[in-house]
Amino acid sequence: MESEISKMQLPVVVEDDDRHELAKKPIITADQPLLTPYKMGNFNLSHRVVLAPLTRERSFDNIPQPHAILYYSQRTCKGTLLISEAAGISNTSLGYPNVPGIWTKEQVEAWRPIVDAVHAKGGIFFCQIWHMGRSSNTDFQPNGEAPISSTDKPISPELYSDAIDLPKFTPPRRLRTDEIPLIVNDFRIAARNAIEAGFDGVEIHGAHGYLIEQFLKDQVNCNAPTSLTKL
């Protein structure tokens, strides 16, 4: 005979006197706001759980790979919002190995079946685009050049989470004022490429000390009052 305990939906740790009473109640119920529908602009979400952008470093040669079809479709159901891992806007935008891009035709075509797989399960898919700016080094830059930024000040080294390794950052090259519109245009082209690949929308990565935030921070932006906020 199956024990009563095996039938319980055990909650978090509680006092002994309340344990049996709480165990009869589900931890998550359909009437909680997290699981209620939400209208986001033109999109009708069936719930409010969103897949956040997660850097995977599995896009060899910066081209999204077929295995991403399974990865994203497994995390999709009808009315779910997913935001892709960040995709680089140009060959100067990268600072990690094997991250996807969306500045070439080949990359756009590689994203297309991934987006189609999400749509086939009723999901809503946004593409996050980024430029890492000075959070990079010459290993990731064309012709071994210095990474570009709003400043020529390098990032102060900080330990990785393992408390052992130091990330390698190359002192950046400060963008000239006349170069800034070119970077803005790279974002614009990347956004259009995302829509061409079938994405439902675009999210611009503006945090974590990457290029957008470098222009937004007074202590880092040496191009003031010029900034990428025109984007």
Side-chain angles (χ1 to χ4, degrees):
M1 181 175 180
E2 185 179 5
S3 69
E4 289 300 315
I5 294 179
S6 66
K7 298 178 182 178
M8 292 180 181
Q9 298 183 27
L10 295 178
V12 294
V13 176
V14 294
E15 296 297 326
D16 286 345
D17 292 343
D18 299 327
R19 179 174 297 142
H20 295 294
E21 190 63 30
L22 288 176
K24 299 176 184 177
K25 302 177 182 179
I27 301 172
I28 297 177
T29 60
D31 61 351
Q32 292 180 330
L34 185 64
L35 301 181
T36 58
Y38 179 74
K39 184 171 176 57
M40 185 186 74
N42 295 326
F43 304 103
N44 295 310
L45 308 184
S46 59
H47 54 79
R48 307 180 187 214
V49 181
V50 179
L51 177 70
L54 300 168
T55 301
R56 304 178 66 234
E57 297 185 19
R58 296 183 179 183
S59 297
F60 310 115
D61 295 324
N62 309 123
I63 298 172
Q65 299 294 303
H67 56 66
I69 296 173
L70 178 62
Y71 172 81
Y72 284 107
S73 64
Q74 283 180 330
R75 290 154 176 80
T76 309
C77 65
K78 183 176 176 57
T80 298
L81 174 62
L82 296 84
I83 305 175
S84 76
E85 58 201 289
I89 64 166
S90 68
N91 63 351
T92 69
S93 66
L94 309 177
Y96 292 124
N98 299 321
V99 293
I102 197 159
W103 71 87
T104 72
K105 185 69 175 177
E106 184 179 9
Q107 291 164 341
V108 170
E109 293 303 316
W111 275 114
R112 199 182 300 277
I114 302 169
V115 177
D116 288 345
V118 171
H119 287 161
K121 296 184 71 173
I124 299 157
F125 205 5
F126 276 39
C127 181
Q128 186 186 75
I129 58 176
W130 66 350
H131 193 301
M132 297 186 66
R134 67 174 183 165
S135 299
S136 183
N137 63 63
T138 54
D139 293 342
F140 298 105
Q141 299 302 310
N143 303 316
E145 298 173 357
I148 58 176
S149 179
S150 62
T151 181
D152 53 10
K153 301 173 184 175
I155 296 178
S156 300
E158 293 183 2
L159 288 175
Y160 280 126
S161 57
D162 62 10
I164 298 174
D165 298 318
L166 276 172
K168 176 186 174 185
F169 297 122
T170 302
R173 178 181 70 81
R174 174 182 168 184
L175 285 166
R176 302 187 312 271
T177 302
D178 64 297
E179 292 178 297
I180 294 175
L182 301 177
I183 306 302
V184 173
N185 195 53
D186 285 340
F187 273 98
R188 183 181 295 113
I189 292 172
R192 289 176 177 170
N193 285 345
I195 300 304
E196 182 182 342
F199 283 99
D200 300 295
V202 174
E203 179 187 75
I204 297 175
H205 198 328
H208 298 174
Y210 299 139
L211 186 62
I212 295 290
E213 191 172 31
Q214 290 163 31
F215 274 89
L216 294 176
K217 296 294 185 181
D218 291 342
Q219 64 268 37
V220 179
N221 184 14
C222 296
N223 281 283
T226 304
S227 74
L228 286 182
T229 52
K230 295 178 182 177
L231 189 63

